[in-house]
Amino acid sequence: MEKFDETGPNTHTRRYKVSSSIAIGAMIVFAILSILLLLSLVFGSDAIKVTADKALPWSLVAFAVACVAMIVANKRTPLKDDDPVENSQ
């Protein structure tokens, strides 16, 4: 079994832990809403289909929150040695 590499510079920061937790939670909400939406549209009555149509934007909002949280979690802070302005000379 291959172990996950946690040796990166920002994998143990508070920002990474909070952002990845938010991303995981938002993806769970997105999955639950999407499954409920699909099941209600396929098997539901007309009254349920109207409610399911109203849940679609919330599902997309949860997906967007997850995407932003993953981007924030994976953002790397530049090291002082990696500054392109200082190293251009």
Side-chain angles (χ1 to χ4, degrees):
M1 177 190 264
E2 201 169 316
K3 188 171 175 152
F4 179 70
D5 180 22
E6 293 183 355
T7 59
N10 294 327
T11 54
H12 295 287
T13 62
R14 182 183 179 113
R15 181 186 69 200
Y16 178 81
K17 291 176 184 177
V18 170
S19 296
S20 60
S21 298
I22 291 171
I24 290 168
M27 287 305 287
I28 290 170
V29 170
F30 171 71
I32 290 170
L33 285 175
S34 296
I35 290 170
L36 291 175
L37 177 68
L38 182 65
L39 290 175
S40 63
L41 287 177
V42 172
F43 300 113
S45 65
D46 290 337
I48 294 175
K49 288 181 183 181
V50 173
T51 307
D53 286 339
K54 292 178 183 177
L56 178 64
W58 293 108
S59 176
L60 296 177
V61 166
F63 182 71
V65 167
C67 290
V68 170
M70 286 187 279
I71 290 170
V72 170
N74 290 315
K75 183 172 176 9
R76 302 286 183 209
T77 54
L79 301 173
K80 292 190 178 191
D81 296 339
D82 293 339
D83 191 9
V85 176
E86 291 179 6
N87 294 332
S88 65
Q89 299 170 351

